[in-house]
Amino acid sequence: MAQKKNETVQAAEETIMPSAEESVAVGSFINTFWDQFELSRERAEQIRENREDAYINALREVIKFNKQFRKSAANLYEQSKKTNKEMVSELMHQFSFGKEEMKDEELPKNEREELKNQVLEVSGQVEKLALTPIMSIFNIVDQLEDSFEKNAESSVAFGRDRRNAWNQVRKEYVKLARETHLNIIERSKGSLKELVKNQ
């Protein structure tokens, strides 16, 4: 009977030794699991921030391109305006020569100058009328794009601030979950040992 007790104690000691090794392995597995979880979450957060930065940069580039396009369109309009002035000036010059050839119907010099000034004034007014809607639209689009860019930047900043505020809370939850997981494993192993010992 004493020998049977010694064999039982020896068997129990043998089962305890592998159990300690199992405990280290299980604890290591659980810690690795939670470490991988945290790394995965941090990687996802970094990818999200990179994506937000790329979005803001792309938005800025599109707005920059649109502004350059509108500037080019305005320069094209200025060039056409200059061409129109040259054409009107040439037309007035030809009109003056045409009137000088007609001696009978020649207009007095004052009337000729007045007519020239009226044509130039009408041409200027037509250009202003044509330019006003275009410039108004350009100004409105510039304001819309600037406000859209500011809104996008503030939205991204707000999202990051909100995530950073909750980051510490998440870390605490992960820490508690890890500890709880390890405690559950330790308790279940202790209960299993007791169950085996009692049988």
Side-chain angles (χ1 to χ4, degrees), residues 15 20 23 27 30 58 60 62 68 99 104 107 118 127 132 134-135 143 153-154 178-179 184-185 189 191 194:
T15 57
S23 176
I30 291 170
R60 286 180 182 151
V62 167
Q68 289 175 348
K99 290 293 182 181
D104 299 339
L107 293 172
Q118 285 177 353
E127 286 174 4
T132 300
I134 293 171
M135 293 310 289
Q143 291 172 357
E153 288 173 353
S154 65
R178 179 192 303 243
E179 291 171 2
I184 289 171
I185 295 297
K189 282 194 298 189
S191 298
E194 288 297 320

Side-chain angles (χ1 to χ4, degrees), residues 52 55-56 59-60 146-163:
E52 289 170 345
Y55 169 72
I56 293 296
L59 183 65
R60 286 180 182 151
D146 290 342
S147 70
F148 185 73
E149 181 181 4
K150 288 176 186 174
N151 288 341
E153 288 173 353
S154 65
S155 174
V156 167
F158 175 76
R160 285 183 180 174
D161 288 343
R162 187 188 55 181
R163 284 193 305 269

Side-chain angles (χ1 to χ4, degrees), residues 114-154:
E114 187 178 325
L115 182 61
K116 189 188 253 186
N117 290 338
Q118 285 177 353
V119 169
L120 289 174
E121 185 179 333
V122 167
S123 173
Q125 292 297 326
V126 168
E127 286 174 4
K128 284 181 184 177
L129 285 173
L131 183 62
T132 300
I134 293 171
M135 293 310 289
S136 296
I137 289 170
F138 283 1
N139 288 335
I140 289 170
V141 170
D142 279 341
Q143 291 172 357
L144 286 173
E145 284 181 341
D146 290 342
S147 70
F148 185 73
E149 181 181 4
K150 288 176 186 174
N151 288 341
E153 288 173 353
S154 65

Side-chain angles (χ1 to χ4, degrees), residues 52-88:
E52 289 170 345
D53 289 340
Y55 169 72
I56 293 296
N57 289 337
L59 183 65
R60 286 180 182 151
E61 289 299 317
V62 167
I63 288 172
K64 182 180 173 184
F65 173 78
N66 288 344
K67 286 183 179 184
Q68 289 175 348
F69 177 76
R70 285 190 297 277
K71 186 177 178 183
S72 297
N75 288 341
L76 181 64
Y77 180 78
E78 288 297 323
Q79 186 64 36
S80 68
K81 183 177 163 182
K82 182 179 174 185
T83 304
N84 285 344
K85 279 187 179 180
E86 290 172 359
M87 287 176 60
V88 167

Side-chain angles (χ1 to χ4, degrees), residues 3-17:
Q3 189 176 1
K4 195 170 188 180
K5 271 192 171 184
N6 284 340
E7 288 176 7
T8 308
V9 170
Q10 227 176 4
E13 285 177 0
E14 287 174 5
T15 57
I16 290 173
M17 288 299 190

Side-chain angles (χ1 to χ4, degrees), residues 82-98:
K82 182 179 174 185
T83 304
N84 285 344
K85 279 187 179 180
E86 290 172 359
M87 287 176 60
V88 167
S89 176
E90 182 64 30
L91 182 65
M92 290 307 296
H93 184 65
Q94 288 178 359
F95 184 68
S96 297
F97 281 130

